Amino acid sequence: MVTLNTPLTRAINAPAARLLATHRDLHTVEDLLWFLPRRYLDRQTDLESLHIGDPISFVGEVITAATRSMRARRGRMLTATVRTASGQHIDLTFFSAYGHEGRLIPGAHGIFAGQVGRYGGRWQLAHPAYELFGDPTQATPVLPDDSQVFPVYLDVPKLPSFTISRLVQQVLLTVEEPDHPVPTDVRARRHLPSLIEAMRWVHLPQDEQQRHRGLHALKYEEAFVLQTVLARRRAEAARAVALPRVPPADGLLRRFDARLPFQLTTGQERVCEQILHDLRREHPMNRLLQGDVGSGKTVVALRAMLAVVDGGGQAALLAPTEVLAAQHHRSMTSMLGDLAEGGLLGGADQGTRVALLTGSQSTAQRRRALLQVASGEAGIVVGTHALIQDSVHFADLGLVVVDEQHRFGVEQRDALRGKAAAGRSPHVLVMTATPIPRTVAMTVFGDMDTSVLDEVPAGRSPIATHVVDNPRWYERIWERVAEEVQAGHQVYVVCPRIGEQDDDAPVSPDEEMPHPEWEHSEELTDNDTAPRSVVETLTELREHPALAHLNIDLLHGRLSAEEKDARMAAFTAGHLDVLVATTVIEVGVDVPNATVMVILDADRFGVSQLHQLRGRVGRGTAPGLCLLVTRSTTETSRERLAAVASTTDGFDLSRLDLELRREGDVLGARQAGRASSLRVLRIRTDEKVITAARRDAAELVAVDPDLTGHPALAAAAGRMVDAERAAFLERG
């Protein structure tokens, strides 16, 4: 008998083991069993849906076979015609009949695999791999007569799918059943088979129903182990201590509410009450605030920060860019008025201070801000990742607000959390406008309490989005920009990169943080042309006849803090007509007079990023327009851009993003992409499985929090959360 840990070289033939290790990184029996079929063929293979060059595997019967001498060289070739189960015909050609003419005879049944081509108007396979049923020279057939489906695996050179299937079958006959992480009583209640039985049903199903039952069992096991990890984490968080923050009836929060020039939406009022309830507890809040672009998340966050200041603590807001941090600082100071001038002449008696901390401040500015933070004079601190540096000390950090949480790694959020007083955990509020896949995943898994703002404040204008994929329309874009400026409005032009002369320059410590979608940009586009840059686009627009009279400038993360502030302030004040920028303007930038955004090489950006960028226009009373310009020609890119153009609902787009980019590593630092830590579980389709597993895991952890009575489950949880992921889990 072999176990899951047995090396493949001891379980199957050595050449096959080497091929699996080399091409698919499979080294143990467990690796092979988890190399699940990517799809299944039934006996009704349809040849009409094929394209030349497609790989194909099918079940069929040889109806004719003949050999003949070749004219151009010595030897004999064999041609055969196979009828598929659906009655269609496909030709087989072997330029050497040796070894085949005695086996491929009329009436032989088997599985055939190869790369399909066309010859003489007919489908053809040249030198296909095949395995015949009942052939005494072969091992046990991999597709019994009563089986209706055939597994197809990811390509492994020199190992066709039916060979891999036979290797799996061989392993399943000898592998020892391991201890199951899901307790026996839970498996009985959920009608789940053992692991090996589930693997047999997935790899060698008799029919679609059996395959579905096997896959469901594997999904449930994975969900159960993961939910056990998260249940233990929630239990540990519940034991953490936070200082309740209860605002007095006549404090800063009440005074701020009294001077608000607008009415909060019903959704804002509901979410504010949820947050205030959390802040009154002795356990730390861990809440995700999801609100579409322009839904009023900033006001909700500011009210939470004022409540904490009223309760004697400090609140820190972590922003992803200097531009956004500076804008938050300006807008909060403006909204608070004299309430943000505590201790100053003319300031409110019960006021506080709002400090700004960024990496490019002067020494004097930074020293002054650090002193205000350490002394507690600044009740609200806004900054970039400069906030998490060792030199920053808080008097009493009670609340951490993370704006656009997907732009920060878990370790960065942890560093800020660790600045609370010893023995205490700060309350945490993370905000996002369009949840990226990891956020959606964590939300479905229930690791965070969730609040949703699904209303847009009154007065916001609609945004129309159009895809521009015809080169002949390119000139019309700039004429449209000139018309918009002539009407008294302003325009953003967004580019994927800064410029050739800057691409290799060192990144400043406080430049806009890399976006997870940009990190995976090679997966987002097929466009092999050089992406447009801010520098070259600025030159192009300044020289364009239609724009020659306009005031155009650029903005990107490698400018100094003073330059960025000056150019953003000039645009905000209306002194600039067109701002050519990178994604440094992606979040939070609020210029009501900006009505048009042109995104060049839009296929270079992800769905969430496009939606965020689009949200910078239409923030005033005039309607917004977003033009997604692309040179890509493939269907995938066009479909993605068309989806963004079809809706302004950020939550719909987040679901699309999840379909396109997968869940990401739900336990680690990786935000999205193909490195998912999940084997078979899919957030988009398996919410019912996750919910059931969460309920069962919570009941088990409540009774046995240390899993002492469930060693197999403890071991599985430990494997799922390796040393590196464990560190991330502890940090939240």
Side-chain angles (χ1 to χ4, degrees):
M1 296 290 286
V2 298
T3 69
L4 294 181
N5 295 323
T6 298
L8 277 180
T9 51
R10 292 172 48 196
I12 61 175
N13 68 78
R18 284 194 295 269
L19 289 171
L20 291 169
T22 300
H23 297 288
R24 290 296 168 188
D25 197 28
L26 308 180
H27 301 278
T28 67
V29 167
E30 183 176 21
D31 292 340
L32 179 60
L33 292 182
W34 279 104
F35 187 57
L36 303 180
R38 62 172 178 167
R39 61 190 177 95
Y40 296 83
L41 298 175
D42 59 26
R43 294 179 183 269
Q44 304 300 316
T45 302
D46 182 14
L47 300 182
E48 297 304 320
S49 62
L50 292 175
H51 297 87
I52 293 175
D54 282 354
I56 181 176
S57 299
F58 63 94
V59 178
E61 177 188 2
V62 179
I63 57 174
T64 66
T67 60
R68 64 177 176 82
S69 299
M70 291 181 285
R71 295 191 184 95
R73 61 182 184 182
R74 297 175 58 186
R76 296 169 60 80
M77 67 181 296
L78 181 145
T79 58
T81 300
V82 175
R83 181 173 54 215
T84 69
S86 59
Q88 296 168 301
H89 291 179
I90 186 168
D91 295 335
L92 312 182
T93 300
F94 295 87
F95 292 101
S96 173
Y98 179 76
H100 304 294
E101 56 186 333
R103 301 172 60 209
L104 292 176
I105 58 177
H109 288 77
I111 302 171
F112 304 85
Q115 194 173 53
V116 72
R118 295 282 287 184
Y119 182 76
R122 293 168 60 88
W123 291 113
Q124 180 192 64
L125 294 180
H127 284 276
Y130 64 91
E131 188 163 324
L132 302 178
F133 304 144
D135 188 335
T137 66
Q138 297 292 328
T140 305
V142 297
L143 189 67
D145 290 340
D146 59 347
S147 176
Q148 298 301 310
V149 293
F150 167 66
V152 178
Y153 296 86
L154 287 173
D155 181 58
V156 179
K158 300 182 180 179
L159 288 181
S161 283
F162 52 73
T163 300
I164 297 174
S165 185
R166 180 156 40 84
L167 294 172
V168 172
Q169 185 180 38
Q170 176 184 333
V171 164
L172 286 171
L173 290 172
T174 59
V175 68
E176 181 180 338
E177 184 76 57
D179 292 335
H180 208 292
V182 182
T184 303
D185 60 327
V186 176
R187 280 195 288 129
R189 185 167 68 249
R190 297 291 180 186
H191 307 290
L192 301 174
S194 68
L195 174 64
I196 301 305
E197 188 69 12
M199 285 292 183
R200 184 174 291 108
W201 289 354
V202 171
H203 285 282
L204 305 167
Q206 296 300 302
D207 51 39
E208 181 64 22
Q209 182 179 11
Q210 190 177 77
R211 183 197 72 83
H212 178 77
R213 288 183 61 196
L215 187 60
H216 172 79
L218 297 182
K219 288 183 175 185
Y220 182 88
E221 177 185 327
E222 188 168 44
F224 183 81
V225 174
L226 178 55
Q227 286 298 331
T228 299
V229 172
L230 295 176
R232 297 181 72 189
R233 179 181 171 186
R234 286 191 294 270
E236 184 177 346
R239 294 192 293 269
V241 176
L243 191 64
R245 307 292 179 172
V246 183
D250 59 346
L252 274 171
L253 179 57
R254 187 196 64 79
R255 295 188 178 196
F256 173 73
D257 287 344
R259 63 178 63 187
L260 266 180
F262 52 83
Q263 179 69 37
L264 295 177
T265 66
T266 303
Q268 285 174 314
E269 291 178 346
R270 181 188 70 251
V271 171
C272 285
E273 190 52 45
Q274 291 172 341
I275 292 172
L276 291 177
H277 176 267
D278 288 350
L279 294 177
R280 296 187 187 103
R281 299 186 305 177
E282 295 182 351
H283 301 293
M285 173 178 71
N286 188 27
R287 184 169 291 276
L288 171 67
L289 174 56
Q290 301 183 83
D292 211 344
V293 175
S295 60
K297 298 183 297 297
T298 303
V299 172
V300 171
L302 181 54
R303 292 189 79 250
M305 290 189 278
L306 292 174
V308 169
V309 175
D310 272 344
Q314 293 170 288
L317 188 151
L318 184 60
T321 68
E322 282 195 348
V323 170
L324 181 55
Q327 171 134 338
H328 274 314
H329 182 260
R330 284 194 298 268
S331 63
M332 288 182 179
T333 302
S334 175
M335 282 191 286
L336 289 171
D338 62 349
L339 296 177
E341 299 174 351
L344 297 178
L345 185 64
D349 293 340
Q350 292 183 316
T352 187
R353 300 290 292 277
V354 182
L356 176 66
L357 261 176
T358 64
S360 58
Q361 288 176 313
S362 68
T363 302
Q365 290 173 322
R366 184 170 178 79
R367 184 181 296 116
R368 184 164 57 251
L370 289 173
L371 183 59
Q372 291 178 351
V373 174
S375 66
E377 181 182 354
I380 296 175
V381 186
V382 180
T384 59
H385 58 293
L387 281 177
I388 66 179
Q389 295 176 359
D390 293 340
S391 58
V392 181
H393 301 281
F394 288 82
D396 183 8
L397 181 59
L399 172 66
V400 172
V401 179
V402 182
D403 193 12
E404 291 311 317
Q405 62 91 23
H406 62 275
R407 299 291 294 273
F408 296 95
V410 180
E411 69 278 14
Q412 292 165 317
R413 299 198 292 270
D414 169 61
L416 186 52
R417 275 173 138 174
K419 292 183 179 296
R424 291 183 192 164
S425 296
H427 300 283
V428 177
L429 176 68
V430 297
M431 303 190 297
T432 185
T434 305
I436 61 166
R438 182 178 186 275
T439 308
V440 177
M442 297 305 284
T443 302
V444 174
F445 283 128
D447 187 54
M448 306 178 79
D449 295 318
T450 306
S451 295
V452 177
L453 290 175
D454 50 10
E455 303 171 69
V456 176
R460 286 290 169 89
S461 301
I463 303 173
T465 306
H466 301 285
V467 178
V468 180
D469 55 7
N470 189 329
R472 291 177 296 177
W473 299 342
Y474 187 72
E475 287 300 310
R476 174 58 186 145
I477 293 173
W478 307 124
E479 294 171 1
R480 180 70 178 84
V481 166
E483 293 167 3
E484 198 69 18
V485 174
Q486 184 66 31
H489 301 300
Q490 294 164 275
V491 177
Y492 295 104
V493 177
V494 180
C495 304
R497 64 189 182 99
I498 296 173
E500 291 182 11
Q501 66 269 41
D502 297 317
D503 284 346
D504 296 324
V507 178
S508 65
D510 215 32
E511 184 180 355
E512 61 260 33
M513 301 185 69
H515 194 287
E517 290 174 313
W518 179 248
E519 293 170 5
H520 296 280
S521 60
E522 69 277 5
E523 297 173 14
L524 298 175
T525 183
D526 65 299
N527 194 344
D528 58 2
T529 57
R532 288 188 173 96
S533 73
V534 167
V535 174
E536 66 183 358
T537 301
L538 176 68
T539 301
E540 176 189 351
L541 298 190
R542 282 178 171 173
E543 295 175 352
H544 196 286
L547 308 176
H549 62 288
L550 303 186
N551 194 356
I552 307 173
D553 213 333
L554 57 75
L555 180 68
H556 57 74
R558 287 198 173 107
L559 296 174
S560 68
E562 292 76 13
E563 288 176 303
K564 282 186 284 191
D565 285 345
R567 294 182 191 184
M568 197 66 236
F571 190 69
T572 303
H575 302 318
L576 291 178
D577 300 313
V578 179
L579 187 64
V580 184
T582 59
T583 56
V584 70
I585 61 152
E586 178 184 345
V587 290
V589 174
D590 189 2
V591 181
N593 193 46
T595 54
V596 173
M597 173 171 286
V598 180
I599 304 178
L600 299 178
D601 290 325
D603 51 285
R604 302 274 178 175
F605 302 94
V607 170
S608 298
Q609 208 168 15
L610 291 172
H611 183 59
Q612 288 279 14
L613 288 165
R614 173 174 57 185
R616 299 313 104 211
V617 297
R619 303 180 75 85
T621 56
L625 172 66
C626 180
L627 300 177
L628 306 177
V629 184
T630 178
R631 293 175 285 179
S632 175
T633 58
T634 64
E635 188 176 346
T636 302
S637 295
R638 290 171 179 264
E639 284 181 355
R640 187 159 45 85
L641 296 180
V644 175
S646 69
T647 180
T648 56
D649 188 323
F651 296 98
D652 284 345
L653 290 174
S654 73
R655 286 186 284 273
L656 171 66
D657 204 10
L658 179 60
E659 293 178 30
L660 291 172
R661 296 171 59 228
R662 294 268 304 271
E663 298 83 350
D665 188 338
V666 297
L667 295 182
R670 199 178 280 272
Q671 297 291 323
R674 297 178 184 174
S676 174
S677 63
L678 302 177
R679 285 168 155 169
V680 290
L681 203 59
R682 295 293 172 262
I683 310 307
R684 183 172 58 89
T685 56
D686 296 331
E687 188 170 348
K688 289 183 178 179
V689 177
I690 294 166
T691 302
R694 183 187 184 199
R695 185 162 52 246
D696 293 341
E699 292 176 359
L700 184 146
V701 170
V703 176
D704 185 8
D706 297 325
L707 305 182
T708 54
H710 301 86
L713 176 57
R719 288 191 299 270
M720 180 171 281
V721 188
D722 57 26
E724 182 179 358
R725 290 196 183 121
F728 284 118
L729 274 177
E730 290 168 4
R731 297 165 182 167

